[in-house]
Amino acid sequence: MIINEMTKINIKKKKILIRLDLNVPMKKNKITSDARIIYSLPTIKLALKNHCKIIILSHLGRPVEGKYQKKYSLFPIVKYLRKKLNNTTIHFSNTIDNTIQIKHGEILILENVRFNKGEKTNSKKLSQKYASLCDIFVMDAFGTSHRMEASTYGVGFFSKIACAGPLFMSEIKSLTQAIKKPKKPVVTILGGAKISTKFNILKTLSKISDTVIVGGGIANTFLAIKNSVGNSIFEKKFIKSAKKLKEKYNIFIPEDSKIKNENNECIIKNSCSILKNEEIMDIGEKSIIKIKKIIKNAKTIIWNGPMGVFELKKFRSGTEKIAYAIANNKNAFSIAGGGDTLAVIEMFNIKNKISYISTGGGAFLEFIEKKDLPAIKMLKKNVLSNNNI
């Protein structure tokens, strides 16, 4: 892959703009999981070691573009980094048109890029503005590398030098190695609310997997082929597509579910017996036993998404037991990715038992599906237009 790498070019005393993925879960303006920040720290420290003037960009959540919303401000992350890098001066600006002059070895964090009009539409004007801030642009936000946005894509076309950060390179190399010649049997665990956002990757993974295990709203859409799913999340428009996929590939659909009834009681029942006022919240014990057996025999495991509403303790069991089953298979190469998956790994303290953890969700899945991403294309084109590096 012909792209510039931050670790292989001269960044000493340069003014660098780093796009990180600091999109961490927050509750009442407090960080509930710092995993993505921790993964980004080596890149920041590398820039500090080289006495760079460092400007950091990131998004947080899904605010209305062009509108400031306090709950999506990066300021809590700035406070976190000031504690983590307590010997470093870290400035913060709530506008891209900043007047803060930073010195070598200092950091300037700009406010949430999604507050900037034109970010999501990859505005040429905004991309040029980002590029004008630096000598070198560093793309190290693998989690957003599947999006053609101003801070992840457009900026690279106006930067003299655009390069991939260490985390970005680690992601690409590890995922390429994992999916090139996976050891069989390959087992994919795919959870989440919407099948529509993961249908293409579901098709791709079904082709390379011996078994695909579905959970959450994705499983509900498969269940809805023949059964009522009550008040459960599912997507009616994708029932026919799910049916065709099920007929062609080996897709494991939970045969029993933990549900919430109209009295807000938690009970387990067969997935084919869900009543009108009931809602599927987790997988049941029979399904857990069968899934654990499938995982135990796997040699390659691809995991994205929880089995149910794991945030609620009484509906956590399915996700917890499947997570431990993945972690306890010492004979398999396991790859896990996605925001919720990272939260699960952290919740159950199994980080050291997963072979490779990706910081990306959509990017993780899209790379497995297409073996390419918009950010990679941008970095390749930057090299072609700057052959003098």
Side-chain angles (χ1 to χ4, degrees):
M1 189 188 300
I2 306 170
I3 61 175
N4 288 311
E5 297 180 39
M6 183 185 181
T7 55
K8 294 181 181 179
I9 63 172
N10 179 22
I11 62 168
K12 199 169 185 66
K13 291 194 173 180
K14 301 289 186 181
K15 192 174 187 182
I16 64 172
L17 179 69
I18 311 176
R19 177 53 160 101
L20 297 176
D21 184 5
L22 305 177
N23 183 33
V24 294
M26 308 274 288
K27 194 171 183 180
K28 294 180 180 178
N29 286 323
K30 289 186 178 179
I31 297 165
T32 56
S33 170
D34 63 357
R36 281 182 170 148
I37 305 176
I38 296 297
Y39 284 120
S40 297
L41 281 175
T43 304
I44 298 171
K45 288 178 179 178
L46 177 62
L48 288 170
K49 187 180 177 182
N50 281 274
H51 305 289
C52 298
K53 291 182 179 180
I54 306 157
I55 302 171
I56 292 173
L57 296 176
S58 181
H59 76 286
L60 179 66
R62 296 180 180 180
V64 176
E65 189 180 292
K67 184 181 177 183
Y68 174 82
Q69 291 171 268
K70 187 179 179 181
K71 69 176 180 178
Y72 296 120
S73 174
L74 287 180
F75 189 62
I77 293 162
V78 174
K79 289 197 291 184
Y80 174 96
L81 283 170
R82 281 173 177 163
K83 287 180 182 177
K84 208 77 178 170
L85 303 167
N86 59 356
N87 293 321
T88 304
T89 300
I90 300 178
H91 305 278
F92 178 61
S93 176
N94 58 8
T95 171
I96 188 173
D97 300 308
N98 72 86
T99 55
I100 298 170
Q101 296 298 313
I102 56 171
K103 299 174 183 176
H104 292 289
E106 292 185 349
I107 298 170
L108 169 62
I109 299 176
L110 297 179
E111 184 58 282
N112 192 337
V113 292
R114 290 186 178 170
F115 291 167
N116 300 326
K117 201 169 182 180
E119 167 63 21
K120 294 187 82 175
T121 55
N122 190 33
S123 155
K124 181 180 177 181
K125 185 179 178 181
L126 185 59
S127 298
Q128 288 174 320
K129 192 176 279 190
Y130 287 143
S132 71
L133 298 173
C134 64
D135 302 316
I136 299 169
F137 170 66
V138 180
M139 177 56 181
D140 208 34
F142 179 78
T144 59
S145 59
H146 60 308
R147 297 195 176 105
M148 293 175 69
E149 297 179 351
S151 70
T152 61
Y153 183 76
V155 58
F157 291 92
F158 300 102
S159 301
K160 185 180 178 184
I161 302 173
C163 64
L167 178 59
F168 190 95
M169 287 308 303
S170 173
E171 295 269 11
I172 297 301
K173 287 175 181 176
S174 298
L175 289 173
T176 300
Q177 183 184 348
I179 61 177
K180 205 170 184 181
K181 287 182 180 177
K183 288 185 179 179
K184 287 184 167 287
V186 178
V187 174
T188 292
I189 298 105
L190 202 62
K194 293 184 177 181
I195 194 172
S196 55
T197 59
K198 295 182 180 179
F199 189 76
N200 289 336
I201 185 64
L202 186 56
K203 274 169 56 176
T204 301
L205 288 171
S206 295
K207 291 173 189 175
I208 66 167
S209 302
D210 295 277
T211 308
V212 175
I213 298 160
V214 290
I218 296 173
N220 297 344
T221 301
F222 279 97
L223 284 169
I225 295 168
K226 290 183 178 180
N227 309 289
S228 165
V229 291
N231 287 328
S232 311
I233 294 170
F234 78 107
E235 291 179 274
K236 194 174 181 179
K237 289 181 181 179
F238 277 82
I239 291 175
K240 284 185 180 178
S241 301
K243 185 175 184 289
K244 287 179 183 177
L245 214 59
K246 185 178 178 294
E247 288 169 351
K248 194 171 182 180
Y249 301 107
N250 185 23
I251 297 173
F252 181 93
I253 303 160
E255 61 182 57
D256 63 337
S257 303
K258 191 174 281 187
I259 63 107
K260 180 175 72 175
N261 63 20
E262 58 185 340
N263 298 319
N264 211 28
E265 295 168 327
C266 170
I267 56 173
I268 295 176
K269 62 190 304 186
N270 289 336
S271 300
C272 60
S273 307
I274 309 300
L275 301 178
K276 189 178 179 180
N277 293 318
E278 295 176 336
E279 184 178 359
I280 298 171
M281 303 292 279
D282 193 9
I283 57 174
E285 292 301 320
K286 289 179 189 175
S287 299
I288 289 169
I289 291 167
K290 289 190 176 182
I291 293 170
K292 283 171 72 175
K293 190 175 180 180
I294 295 167
I295 290 170
K296 189 178 180 180
N297 295 321
K299 288 290 187 286
T300 302
I301 301 167
I302 301 168
W303 174 27
N304 175 266
M307 293 290 99
V309 190
F310 74 97
E311 298 90 344
L312 301 176
K313 195 172 182 179
K314 60 183 177 181
F315 300 115
R316 188 174 293 167
S317 177
T319 299
E320 181 178 8
K321 288 176 181 177
I322 299 314
Y324 281 127
I326 296 166
N328 292 332
N329 185 340
K330 294 176 183 177
N331 298 316
F333 183 90
S334 52
I335 321 167
D340 283 340
T341 315
L342 286 175
V344 170
I345 289 168
E346 195 170 347
M347 181 181 283
F348 303 127
N349 195 27
I350 56 171
K351 180 182 175 182
N352 296 329
K353 293 185 177 182
I354 305 296
S355 307
Y356 187 77
I357 299 170
S358 172
T359 57
F364 165 78
L365 296 175
E366 192 167 314
F367 184 78
I368 290 174
E369 180 193 347
K370 298 178 180 177
K371 317 291 188 295
D372 207 355
L373 294 166
I376 296 174
K377 291 176 184 176
M378 173 270 290
L379 291 166
K380 286 177 180 175
K381 285 180 181 178
N382 183 270
V383 171
L384 291 173
S385 59
N386 295 286
N387 289 322
N388 59 330
I389 298 165

